[in-house]
Amino acid sequence: MTDVPVALITVTGVRRITPQMTRMTFAGEGLEDFPTWPDQQLKLCFPRPGQSAPRLPAVEADGDVMRWYQAFLAIPEEERPWMRSYTVRSYDPERHRITIDFVLHGASSSAADEETGPATRWASTATVGDTLARYGPAAIYAKPLPLDSADWLLLAGDETALPAIGSLVESLPRGSRAVACIEVANAAEEQPLTSPADLTVHWVHRDDTTAARGGGALLNAVREASFPSGSVFAWLAGEAGAVRELRRHLVEERGIGKRQIDFSGYWRRRLTQDDAPTEEDLAEAQERVAAAEEEARARSPQRPG
């Protein structure tokens, strides 16, 4: 059995770092000895209207994850917290605080057609003392970048991928090389990124780019980019449809092997994490499982025949 990594966390600081992104620090149980790694994912539980804190089931003594999650789903829908995936931007081991960045979808006219979800509504008005719950992270899901398999690293994503990209480039070793292509609404959404590596950042503005050739701004930017020489490992994240198009371009047009690409659809246009998966979502999940199995087979020692 695995202990259920669930606990309440309380806002200790709020700072708007761009017009459409706010940075919050949290304190809470279990943060005294908090394992950390780049691109560290966890799930946040947001309270329903009228709740001062999200309603959670009790953690059983045996720490059974599946039993806890079944009890979570058994909470009546009108009382059950909304659960959304986020990235830990940083951890302060001295003050025992985690930092999480929230994209405020719909905060500008360029995103006005997007529905404002419960996470954005909460983050838009959150103040010190407000309470969420965290589910995770679990070290079993830590996946280091295979830097020894490539000469340079490509990172591509939209603003939802920025916290992960920020933590990844900060962890790169000196002497390594990385190129980041990041799509944001406009120049006001750009953030400073620091890295010990030789890092080149290309900011892509949706306001300045048309959907020429059937693709979005980020896809067009990657298509037109001149890649450094040598082999590449690509890390892709953001809107699921855009990620699929990026991966298809890298495999079919750039000739990059599928095992040299890590990809994740963080969100779906016009759909939320509460909606049922589409056929494309299921196909993506199957591809990710197949890729993981292939990688595991490649790394396992071969038995003599």
Side-chain angles (χ1 to χ4, degrees), residues 85-150:
S85 299
Y86 279 86
T87 302
V88 177
R89 182 61 182 85
S90 63
Y91 171 65
D92 185 338
E94 295 184 359
R95 300 176 64 238
H96 308 147
R97 302 283 193 269
I98 57 173
T99 297
I100 299 175
D101 291 348
F102 294 81
V103 178
L104 304 180
H105 295 286
S108 78
S109 58
S110 63
D113 60 333
E114 297 179 9
E115 237 180 78
T116 300
T120 293
R121 291 195 299 270
W122 182 89
S124 297
T125 60
T127 60
V128 172
D130 287 351
T131 301
L132 294 180
R134 66 176 175 91
Y135 184 93
I140 190 173
Y141 297 112
K143 189 177 181 181
L145 293 172
L147 298 176
D148 57 349
S149 70

Side-chain angles (χ1 to χ4, degrees), residues 25 72 105 113 176 186:
T25 55
F72 176 84
H105 295 286
D113 60 333
S176 60
N186 48 53

Side-chain angles (χ1 to χ4, degrees), residues 209-210 212-213 217-227 249 254:
T209 311
T210 63
R213 289 181 289 172
L218 181 61
L219 175 60
N220 288 334
V222 174
R223 272 178 172 156
E224 296 168 2
S226 297
F227 284 2
H249 161 70
R254 296 281 191 168

Side-chain angles (χ1 to χ4, degrees), residues 49-71:
Q51 297 177 342
S52 59
R55 176 181 170 184
L56 299 174
V59 177
E60 300 292 336
D62 62 4
D64 189 315
V65 172
M66 290 308 301
R67 184 177 293 116
W68 183 92
Y69 190 63
Q70 289 168 357

